[in-house]
């Protein structure tokens, strides 16, 4: 499996390039900004990008999508509940004081538990709201990885003070959908370094005693 991380924009967002060498088919997860840099990184991998997967529609995760769709003519997939926020990108941009070009279209909704295929890699969508509406994590049991978006970070969790955020919902998502994955599962979050489920269960201060530290 190919899994590459690019940290993009002033939000330091992790965009992931995922794919399998055998078929040469790849996908982009959360291309937040710096489309040209992403295209160059994809070229290095030799992958053909067949889809763009989105964990949630915050501006730092979707900013490069419109440009990349022009480059790859590939579908954009996300949870249906994330679409309203996607349509509000111009407002999000204004609030964050950043410029924003075009609002991308969603081509296909991803349902909870749906299994997406990226070449030979099977990614199961895990509905994990709380940080943002329609938030998804993408889990590959075979590869032992989960792309956790902004739900779970190394020793932290996503903020819940933005519109549509809710701490109780986030905690339930993390406890029921992410911490139930095998210990050795490697976690690739939307910001910051990678971690493992075992680490987070043992030392994430937000998850000790089931509440805020
Ligand atoms: Zn976010
Ligand atoms: Zn983010």
């Amino acid at each position: 499996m190919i899994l590459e991380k690019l940290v993009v924009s002033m939000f330091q967002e992790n965009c992931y390039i995922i794919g399998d060498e055998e078929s040469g088919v790849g996908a982009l997860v959360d291309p937040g900004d710096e489309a040209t840099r992403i295209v160059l990184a994809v070229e290095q991998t030799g992958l053909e990008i067949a889809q763009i997967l989105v964990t949630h529609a915050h501006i730092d995760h979707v900013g490069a999508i419109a440009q990349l769709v022009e480059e790859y003519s590939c579908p954009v997939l996300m949870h249906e509940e994330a679409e309203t926020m996607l349509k509000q990108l111009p407002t999000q941009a204004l609030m964050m004081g950043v410029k924003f070009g075009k609002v991308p279209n969603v081509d296909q909704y991803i349902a909870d538990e749906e299994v997406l295929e990226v070449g030979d890699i099977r990614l199961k969508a895990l509905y994990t709201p709380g940080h943002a509406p329609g938030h998804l994590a993408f889990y590959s049991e075979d590869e032992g990885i989960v792309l956790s978006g902004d739900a779970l970070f190394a020793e932290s969790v996503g903020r819940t003070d933005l519109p549509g955020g809710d701490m109780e919902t986030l905690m339930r998502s993390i406890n029921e959908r992410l911490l139930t994955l095998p210990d050795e599962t490697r976690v690739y979050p939307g910001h910051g370094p990678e971690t493992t489920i075992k680490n987070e269960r043992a030392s994430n201060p937000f998850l000790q005693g089931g509440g805020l530290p």
Side-chain angles (χ1 to χ4, degrees):
M1 180 192 53
I2 293 168
L3 179 60
E4 283 198 21
K5 175 174 92 172
L6 270 91
V7 183
V8 299
S9 86
M10 66 176 188
F11 299 105
Q12 301 278 291
E13 189 264 345
N14 295 336
C15 164
Y16 294 100
I17 303 168
I18 185 167
D20 84 282
E21 295 97 331
E22 214 110 307
S23 67
V25 177
L28 293 171
V29 180
D30 287 358
D33 201 357
E34 304 185 46
T36 309
R37 230 183 101 211
I38 294 172
V39 170
L40 291 173
V42 167
E43 244 166 57
Q44 299 286 318
T45 65
L47 290 170
E48 204 151 305
I49 298 301
Q51 51 195 341
I52 294 173
L53 309 177
V54 181
T55 61
H56 66 295
H58 281 157
I59 193 162
D60 54 324
H61 295 252
V62 299
I65 291 179
Q67 249 179 295
L68 290 164
V69 166
E70 275 176 33
E71 178 78 26
Y72 299 117
S73 310
C74 65
V76 176
L77 290 77
M78 65 176 71
H79 193 278
E80 189 172 1
E81 289 169 15
E83 195 172 20
T84 308
M85 192 157 271
L86 187 77
K87 300 289 181 220
Q88 293 163 352
L89 277 176
T91 316
Q92 287 192 54
L94 211 64
M95 278 172 56
M96 298 292 185
V98 295
K99 66 172 172 58
F100 191 79
K102 204 170 134 215
V103 176
N105 287 319
V106 183
D107 299 291
Q108 202 180 311
Y109 295 131
I110 307 171
D112 186 21
E113 303 266 305
E114 187 173 335
V115 176
L116 306 161
E117 286 179 8
V118 181
D120 280 345
I121 302 166
R122 291 159 59 83
L123 289 176
K124 192 205 248 184
L126 304 176
Y127 180 62
T128 39
H131 166 72
H135 187 287
L136 294 172
F138 300 110
Y139 173 56
S140 167
E141 189 177 356
D142 299 333
E143 304 288 348
I145 62 159
V146 64
L147 304 171
S148 63
D150 284 3
L152 180 64
F153 301 124
E155 307 205 348
S156 188
V157 299
R159 59 191 287 188
T160 53
D161 58 330
L162 296 171
D166 181 73
M167 183 55 93
E168 212 173 296
T169 308
L170 178 64
M171 285 302 156
R172 198 173 334 121
S173 292
I174 294 172
N175 283 316
E176 292 178 4
R177 307 306 301 278
L178 298 174
L179 295 189
T180 46
L181 299 175
D183 262 355
E184 62 280 8
T185 309
R186 281 168 291 136
V187 180
Y188 293 85
H191 301 268
E194 59 177 275
T195 179
T196 63
I197 291 296
K198 186 180 181 183
N199 267 345
E200 295 318 300
R201 213 183 276 128
S203 57
N204 189 316
F206 290 87
L207 307 176
Q208 307 308 311
L212 290 160

